[in-house]
C-alpha cells in the first residue's frame, strides 16, 4: 500500500498540469520583470559608470584590446556590447582618447559624438535585462524546490518586483551580473556536495568562473565556499561520489569528505581560470598595441609584501591574463576611504553603519517582514541544517565582507545577498498556504506581497530612487543617501521634458554624471559639477534658474569653492524635483567664483 501511495505521488509530480503551472508562473514572472525593466530604459541618460564601461566592452570586441576600463572584468561588458557588432557603429581608430587610454573621454565621444548613444544603450541594456530574467528564473527554481509552488512563486515575484534588481538589472553595470553568478555558484555547489558528478562539477566551475569574470568582488565567493565546505564536512550527512566509474560511493567519514571537497574546489578554481582566460579571448596582454604605455605596475603594487609577491608570481607565471591581474590590483588600490554621505552627514573616513543603514532603508518593509516570519518559522517548518546553511551562510559571510570595504558608495554592493533573501522569504508564504486554518495567514501574505508590488509600481520608472516608508519614501531619499542609491546622472531626459513644458530656454546646471546634457538638447551654463567638468569661473544671480544633481547638492564630491552655493540651495525650497535626482531652483541670491 505504501508503494502504491509513493507511485501515485510520483505520477502527480510528473503530471503535465504540474509542469504547465510551473512554466506559466515562471514565464509570467519573467515577462513582468522584463516589461518593467525595458519600459523604464528610455527614461534614462547614460548612468555614471556606463559612460566608461559600455564603450569599453565594444572596444574589446573590435580591437581585442583591454586598455579601457581595465579595473573591472569584461564578461558583462562583452555581453552588453555584443549586439553592437550587428549595428552601424563608428569608432575612429586614431582618436587621442583611445591612444592615451582616457576611458571617460573615449566613452563621451563614443556615445555622444560618433554615435547615437541612446540607441546603442537601449540595445546594450536589453542584453543586461536578460541576466535579470535568468536570476528571477533561478530564484524561482530554488524556492519551488524548497517550499513548493507557492513559495517559489512568491520568491519569483519578490525578485521580479525588487526595486534594486530592477534599478541595476537594466543598465550596463555588473551588480545584477555578480548577484546572478554568485547565486548560481552557491546553488551549483549545494547540488554538487549532495552528489558529485562530472556534470555538476562542470556547472559549479563555470558559474564560479563567470562570477570572477564579472566583478572583482566575486573573490568573496572563495571564503563563502570555504565556509560551506567546512559545514558539509562537519555535518553527518554523507556525500555521494558518482563519477561514472561504477556504483556511486558514499563518503561517510569527515576525512574522506574533506579530501574530496578540497579536490573539488581545486577543480572548480581551474575551470574558473579557464573561463577568465576565455573572457579575455585567451590574450595575456592588456593592450595589443606595443606602443601603449598606460600600465603603471609600480602604482598598483600592493603595500603588503606577501600580497605583492603573490601578484608578481601570478604575473611572471602568466597564471591570469595581464588585464585581469592589473585591474584587480587597481581596484584593490582604490579600496580607500573617501567622502561618504549618510543621513545628512559627510564623513571623510566613512561610517561603520553605512551598509546596515542602507540595507534597512532601501529594502522594502514587506520583504523585511517576510524575512522575519521566515526566521520565526524555522521551528514550525524546519529544514535540514545543511539546507539552512546554504541559504544563510552566504548572506552572513558576504555581508561581513562588505562591512570590511573602505568604499561606501552604494547599497548596490549588497545586491548579491538578495536572491537568497527572496528564497528565504518564500518560506512564510508556503507555510501560510499549508495551514488548515489558511484564511488569515493567506490574507496576511497576500497583503504583504500586494504592498511590495504597489511600492515598486509606484516608483516606476525611477527605481534608483526607491526608499521605504521608514524614511518617508523616495521624496525624502536625498536626505539619507545619494550617489548610486538615488542619483547616477540618469534624469537628463526628464530635465529636458521639464524645460520644454515650462518654455525654459536656458538653465544653469550642476550635474553629477558622465552623460552629455547637450545631447538631449539642454542649453546650459555649467556650474561646479562632477565628471563632465568643473568650470574655472561661474556665477549665479537673483532670478537665475539652477538645476543641481542631488549628489552635488549634498556637497560630497564638489570642491570647497562650491560648498557655499550648495549650502544656500539646500536651505531653499525647490521649484521641482526631476525624477527625484535633479532639483530645480529659482535663486534669490548672488554668488560667484571669479
Amino acid at each position: 500500500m505504501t508503494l502504491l501511495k509513493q507511485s501515485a505521488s510520483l505520477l502527480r509530480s510528473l503530471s503535465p498540469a504540474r509542469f504547465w503551472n510551473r512554466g506559466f508562473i515562471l514565464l509570467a514572472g519573467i515577462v513582468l520583470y522584463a516589461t518593467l525593466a525595458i519600459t523604464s530604459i528610455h527614461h534614462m541618460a547614460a548612468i555614471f559608470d556606463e559612460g566608461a564601461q559600455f564603450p569599453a566592452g565594444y572596444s574589446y570586441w573590435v580591437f581585442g584590446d583591454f586598455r579601457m576600463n581595465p579595473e573591472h572584468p569584461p564578461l558583462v561588458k562583452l555581453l552588453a556590447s555584443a549586439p553592437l557588432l550587428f549595428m552601424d557603429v563608428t569608432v575612429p581608430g586614431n582618436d587621442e582618447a583611445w591612444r592615451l587610454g582616457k576611458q571617460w573621454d573615449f566613452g563621451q565621444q563614443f556615445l555622444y559624438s560618433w554615435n547615437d548613444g541612446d540607441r546603442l544603450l537601449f540595445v546594450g541594456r536589453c542584453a543586461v535585462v536578460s541576466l535579470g530574467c535568468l536570476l528571477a528564473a533561478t530564484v524561482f527554481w530554488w524556492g519551488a524546490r524548497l517550499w513548493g509552488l507557492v513559495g517559489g512563486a512568491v520568491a519569483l515575484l519578490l525578485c521580479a518586483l525588487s526595486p534594486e534588481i530592477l534599478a541595476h538589472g537594466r543598465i550596463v553595470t555588473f551588480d545584477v551580473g555578480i548577484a546572478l553568478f554568485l547565486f548560481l555558484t552557491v546553488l551549483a555547489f549545494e547540488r554538487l556536495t549532495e552528489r558529485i558528478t562530472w556534470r555538476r562539477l562542470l556547472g559549479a566551475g563555470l558559474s564560479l568562473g563567470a562570477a570572477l569574470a564579472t566583478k572583482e568582488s566575486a573573490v568573496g565567493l572563495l571564503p563563502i565556499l570555504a565556509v560551506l565546505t567546512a559545514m558539509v564536512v562537519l555535518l553527518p550527512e554523507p556525500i555521494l561520489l558518482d563519477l561514472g566509474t561504477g556504483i556511486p560511493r558514499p563518503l561517510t567519514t569527515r576525512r574522506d569528505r574533506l579530501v574530496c571537497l578540497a579536490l573539488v574546489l581545486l577543480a572548480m578554481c581551474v575551470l574558473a581560470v579557464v573561463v577568465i582566460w576565455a573572457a579575455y579571448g585567451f590574450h595575456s596582454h592588456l593592450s595589443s598595441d606595443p606602443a601603449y604605455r598606460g600600465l603603471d605596475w609600480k602604482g598598483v603594487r600592493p603595500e603588503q609584501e606577501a600580497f605583492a609577491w603573490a601578484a608578481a608570481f601570478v604575473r611572471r607565471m602568466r597564471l591570469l591574463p595581464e588585464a585581469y591581474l592589473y585591474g584587480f590590483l587597481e581596484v584593490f588600490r582604490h579600496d580607500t576611504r573617501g567622502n561618504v554621505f549618510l543621513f545628512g552627514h559627510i564623513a571623510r573616513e566613512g561610517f561603520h553603519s553605512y551598509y546596515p543603514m542602507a540595507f534597512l532603508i532601501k529594502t522594502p518593509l514587506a520583504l523585511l517582514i517576510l524575512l522575519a516570519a521566515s526566521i520565526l518559522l524555522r521551528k514550525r517548518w524546519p529544514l535540514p541544517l545543511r539546507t539552512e546553511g546554504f541559504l544563510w551562510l552566504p548572506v552572513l559571510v558576504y555581508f561581513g565582507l562588505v562591512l570590511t570595504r573602505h568604499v561606501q558608495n552604494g547599497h548596490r554592493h549588497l545586491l548579491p545577498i538578495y536572491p537568497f533573501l527572496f528564497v528565504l522569504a518564500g518560506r512564510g508564504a508556503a507555510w501560510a498556504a499549508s495551514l488548515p486554518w489558511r484564511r488569515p495567514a493567506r490574507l496576511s501574505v497576500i497583503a504583504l506581497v500586494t504592498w511590495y508590488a504597489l511600492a515598486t509600481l509606484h516608483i516606476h520608472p525611477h527605481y534608483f530612487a526607491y526608499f521605504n516608508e521608514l524614511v518617508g519614501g523616495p521624496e525624502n531619499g536625498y536626505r539619507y543617501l545619494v550617489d548610486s542609491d538615488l542619483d547616477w546622472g540618469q534624469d537628463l531626459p526628464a530635465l529636458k521634458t521639464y524645460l520644454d513644458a515650462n518654455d525654459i530656454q536656458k538653465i544653469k546646471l550642476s550635474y553629477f554624471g558622465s552623460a552629455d546634457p547637450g545631447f538631449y538638447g539642454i542649453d546650459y551654463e555649467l556650474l561646479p559639477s562632477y565628471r563632465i567638468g568643473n568650470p574655472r569661473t561661474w556665477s549665479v544671480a537673483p532670478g537665475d534658474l539652477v538645476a543641481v544633481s542631488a549628489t552635488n547638492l549634498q556637497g560630497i564630491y564638489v570642491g570647497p569653492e562650491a560648498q557655499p552655493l550648495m549650502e544656500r540651495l539646500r536651505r531653499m525650497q525647490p521649484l521641482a524635483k526631476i525624477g527625484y535626482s535633479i532639483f530645480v531652483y529659482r535663486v534669490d541670491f548672488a554668488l560667484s567664483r571669479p
Side-chain angles (χ1 to χ4, degrees), residues 264-525:
V264 162
L265 288 174
L266 178 62
M268 287 175 59
C269 289
V270 171
L271 286 169
V273 170
V274 173
V275 173
I276 292 172
W277 276 98
Y280 285 91
F282 295 98
H283 296 305
S284 176
H285 298 295
L286 181 142
S287 175
S288 57
D289 182 2
Y292 179 64
R293 294 291 182 266
L295 296 180
D296 180 16
W297 286 101
K298 290 183 179 179
V300 299
R301 185 184 186 275
E303 294 180 0
Q304 298 88 343
E305 285 301 320
F307 191 10
W309 180 89
F313 177 79
V314 170
R315 183 188 175 197
R316 184 170 61 252
M317 300 302 294
R318 295 190 177 185
L319 299 180
L320 291 169
E322 182 181 65
Y324 186 84
L325 178 61
Y326 184 85
F328 182 84
L329 295 177
E330 177 78 5
V331 169
F332 184 81
R333 180 177 68 124
H334 281 98
D335 187 23
T336 55
R337 300 290 185 187
N339 283 352
V340 178
F341 178 82
L342 179 68
F343 281 57
H345 301 283
I346 297 176
R348 181 69 181 85
E349 295 299 314
F351 300 88
H352 294 300
S353 61
Y354 178 87
Y355 285 110
M357 296 309 298
F359 175 80
L360 184 63
I361 66 177
K362 291 286 284 183
T363 303
L365 291 180
L367 175 58
L368 294 177
I369 294 171
L370 285 169
L371 285 172
S374 178
I375 295 171
L376 294 173
L377 289 171
R378 285 185 66 251
K379 291 183 178 180
R380 291 175 178 255
W381 194 332
L383 282 177
L385 187 58
R386 182 181 183 281
T387 304
E388 292 277 8
F390 270 94
L391 286 171
W392 282 109
L393 288 176
V395 173
L396 298 176
V397 173
Y398 194 87
F399 200 103
L401 292 172
V402 170
L403 290 179
T404 66
R405 291 195 60 173
H406 294 156
V407 174
Q408 298 177 345
N409 61 356
H411 169 253
R412 60 193 171 90
H413 295 297
L414 291 175
L415 211 60
I417 72 174
Y418 277 85
F420 299 94
L421 301 184
F422 299 145
V423 173
L424 283 163
R427 185 198 324 235
W431 173 77
S434 69
L435 293 175
W437 40 279
R438 296 178 180 180
R439 187 176 179 84
R442 275 187 171 182
L443 289 177
S444 299
V445 171
I446 291 171
L448 287 172
V449 173
T450 302
W451 178 17
Y452 185 93
L454 290 177
T456 298
L457 296 176
H458 172 73
I459 199 68
H460 178 83
H462 306 292
Y463 296 115
F464 285 118
Y466 177 81
F467 288 82
N468 66 31
E469 292 80 358
L470 290 177
V471 293
E475 285 287 343
N476 292 322
Y478 75 100
R479 304 178 188 273
Y480 301 92
L481 294 169
V482 284
D483 206 313
S484 62
D485 288 319
L486 170 69
D487 168 29
W488 233 359
Q490 70 273 13
D491 282 321
L492 286 179
L495 176 61
K496 173 58 176 173
T497 300
Y498 171 82
L499 297 178
D500 289 345
N502 291 276
D503 195 26
I504 299 170
Q505 302 302 316
K506 191 168 185 177
I507 198 167
K508 296 194 174 184
L509 176 64
S510 173
Y511 176 59
F512 176 79
S514 62
D516 179 8
F519 177 82
Y520 297 96
I522 298 173
D523 188 3
Y524 67 99
E525 179 181 327

Side-chain angles (χ1 to χ4, degrees), residues 88-141:
D88 182 18
V89 178
T90 300
V91 182
N94 60 349
D95 177 68
E96 181 182 5
W98 168 257
R99 287 189 291 103
L100 299 178
K102 294 183 177 180
Q103 59 178 338
W104 295 104
D105 294 342
F106 176 78
Q108 178 88 190
Q109 295 177 90
F110 179 87
L111 292 173
Y112 301 118
S113 297
W114 305 330
N115 303 287
D116 181 349
D118 275 359
R119 183 173 68 95
L120 301 188
L121 279 168
F122 179 80
V123 175
R125 287 166 170 173
C126 285
V128 176
V129 170
S130 67
L131 296 179
C133 293
L134 184 55
L135 176 61
T138 310
V139 165
F140 173 72
W141 186 88

Side-chain angles (χ1 to χ4, degrees), residues 47 49-50 52-57 60 68-80 103 128 131 135 167-182 210-218 280 331 398 412-413 415-416 488:
I47 61 94
D49 288 358
E50 283 181 317
Q53 294 165 1
F54 183 47
Y60 302 162
M68 294 296 175
N69 198 237
E71 60 266 33
H72 298 295
L75 186 59
V76 172
K77 291 179 278 187
L78 289 168
L79 171 68
Q103 59 178 338
V128 176
L131 296 179
L135 176 61
H168 297 279
R170 51 172 185 162
I171 55 175
V172 186
T173 56
F174 320 120
D175 298 295
V176 163
I178 188 60
L180 166 64
F181 293 123
L182 188 146
L212 291 169
T214 294
K215 194 175 182 182
E216 70 286 340
S217 59
Y280 285 91
V331 169
Y398 194 87
R412 60 193 171 90
H413 295 297
L415 211 60
W488 233 359

Side-chain angles (χ1 to χ4, degrees), residues 134-156:
L134 184 55
L135 176 61
T138 310
V139 165
F140 173 72
W141 186 88
W142 202 355
R145 178 171 170 245
L146 291 178
W147 321 120
L149 198 56
V150 173
V154 170
L156 171 63

